[in-house]
Amino acid sequence: EAGVAQSPRYKIIEKRQSVAFWCNPISGHATLYWYQQILGQGPKLLIQFQNNGVVDDSQLPKDRFSAERLKGVDSTLKIQPAKLEDSAVYLCASSLYYQETQYFGPGTRLLVL
Amino acid sequence: DQQVKQNSPSLSVQEGRISILNCDYTNSMFDYFLWYKKYPAEGPTFLISISSIKDKNEDGRFTVFLNKSAKHLSLHIVPSQPGDSAVYFCAASADNAGNMLTFGGGTRLMVKP
């Protein structure tokens, strides 16, 4: 069974630029999560989708971050404009259903200069 | 305000000995706890979980203990193997399942041959 796929794996941008990350969850998984992991910290949940609907986005900085999950499969996370403090690893996870075990992708490492 | 804390950033153990990783939480609404293991350049991988109705859960070499009155849980690995060297994250949820996770900052375990 293929795992959660993410791209790109690495991205370097300058502050005020925009960036987008892509996630392809495990086939058949209805729930998708985006996490931000700053160096030395644990992952922090940004947004959770159930199929193509948002379940929770209370920790998403909505003035600059946006996410969508069209057709309930792939998802994109966008940052516009990026700030220095957005430098982190962005992890995507999926689970079969709400409240099931989450499987994580390898993450996208973002560096904002 | 960190609701889940792992106070030891690193731990070094000899192969064959016991590894004990600790985690403290402050939110009394948390009722489900998980441990994830993370290798470099990979996403976290689910290891073991425990519900608040239990005080112990075992899976092979891994045992998680929960002390609700102390708001403390620990992961025991016996015997430790060099392949166990990784970063271990404690996570908690308030929905009696593995959803809406709050992670600790992680503990880096090094198992020496």
Side-chain angles (χ1 to χ4, degrees), chain A residues 1-5 23-33 48-53 69-75 92-105, chain B residues 36 46:
Chain A
E1 180 182 73
V4 176
C23 173
N24 180 238
I26 294 173
S27 178
H29 279 198
T31 312
L32 185 145
Y33 312 79
Q48 176 183 341
F49 292 94
Q50 181 69 18
N51 295 309
N52 60 348
R69 191 184 183 197
L70 300 177
K71 301 181 181 177
V73 182
D74 293 5
S75 177
C92 178
S94 70
S95 60
L96 188 60
Y97 296 113
Y98 184 77
Q99 296 184 335
E100 294 286 333
T101 299
Q102 297 183 33
Y103 297 87
F104 284 80
Chain B
Y36 277 81
F46 171 74

Side-chain angles (χ1 to χ4, degrees), chain B residues 4-26:
Chain B
V4 179
K5 292 182 182 179
Q6 295 176 253
N7 292 318
S8 298
S10 65
L11 174 67
S12 183
V13 171
Q14 205 66 32
E15 181 179 5
R17 305 295 291 269
I18 185 171
S19 295
I20 300 176
L21 295 94
N22 295 303
C23 177
D24 297 295
Y25 62 95
T26 57

Side-chain angles (χ1 to χ4, degrees), chain B residues 83-99:
Chain B
D84 296 329
S85 297
V87 177
Y88 289 78
F89 291 99
C90 168
S93 169
D95 65 356
N96 200 29
N99 201 55

Side-chain angles (χ1 to χ4, degrees), chain A residues 9-10 31 33 35 37 40-43 45 48 56 91 98-102 104-106, chain B residues 34 36 38 41-46 89 95-106:
Chain A
R9 292 297 308 273
Y10 304 92
T31 312
Y33 312 79
Y35 289 85
Q37 185 181 9
Q41 301 180 18
L45 180 67
Q48 176 183 341
D56 184 274
L91 294 161
Y98 184 77
Q99 296 184 335
E100 294 286 333
T101 299
Q102 297 183 33
F104 284 80
Chain B
L34 307 90
Y36 277 81
K38 185 182 183 303
E42 295 183 11
T45 304
F46 171 74
F89 291 99
D95 65 356
N96 200 29
N99 201 55
M100 299 293 292
L101 299 178
T102 299
F103 282 84

Side-chain angles (χ1 to χ4, degrees), chain B residues 10-102:
Chain B
S10 65
L11 174 67
S12 183
V13 171
Q14 205 66 32
E15 181 179 5
R17 305 295 291 269
I18 185 171
S19 295
I20 300 176
L21 295 94
N22 295 303
C23 177
D24 297 295
Y25 62 95
T26 57
N27 188 341
S28 58
M29 298 300 290
F30 288 148
D31 56 12
Y32 194 78
F33 304 89
L34 307 90
W35 285 94
Y36 277 81
K37 179 168 74 172
K38 185 182 183 303
Y39 292 119
E42 295 183 11
T45 304
F46 171 74
L47 197 55
I48 192 169
S49 63
I50 187 168
S51 168
S52 60
I53 61 173
K54 296 184 176 181
D55 54 17
K56 178 183 174 182
N57 188 27
E58 280 183 87
D59 184 1
R61 296 186 297 113
F62 302 92
T63 302
V64 56
F65 295 92
L66 175 62
N67 182 334
K68 284 178 291 183
S69 60
K71 293 190 176 66
H72 177 83
L73 64 156
S74 60
L75 175 68
H76 292 209
I77 307 173
V78 183
S80 301
Q81 300 173 354
D84 296 329
S85 297
V87 177
Y88 289 78
F89 291 99
C90 168
S93 169
D95 65 356
N96 200 29
N99 201 55
M100 299 293 292
L101 299 178
T102 299

Side-chain angles (χ1 to χ4, degrees), chain A residues 14-78:
Chain A
E14 294 188 350
K15 59 183 179 183
R16 291 188 290 273
Q17 286 187 323
S18 61
V19 64
F21 312 127
W22 174 81
C23 173
N24 180 238
I26 294 173
S27 178
H29 279 198
T31 312
L32 185 145
Y33 312 79
W34 282 103
Y35 289 85
Q36 178 192 58
Q37 185 181 9
I38 293 173
L39 186 65
Q41 301 180 18
K44 183 182 85 171
L45 180 67
L46 293 176
I47 188 167
Q48 176 183 341
F49 292 94
Q50 181 69 18
N51 295 309
N52 60 348
V54 175
V55 173
D56 184 274
D57 62 358
S58 57
Q59 298 194 92
L60 187 74
K62 298 180 187 63
D63 57 334
R64 299 184 299 107
F65 285 65
S66 64
E68 60 181 10
R69 191 184 183 197
L70 300 177
K71 301 181 181 177
V73 182
D74 293 5
S75 177
T76 56
L77 176 70
K78 296 179 182 178

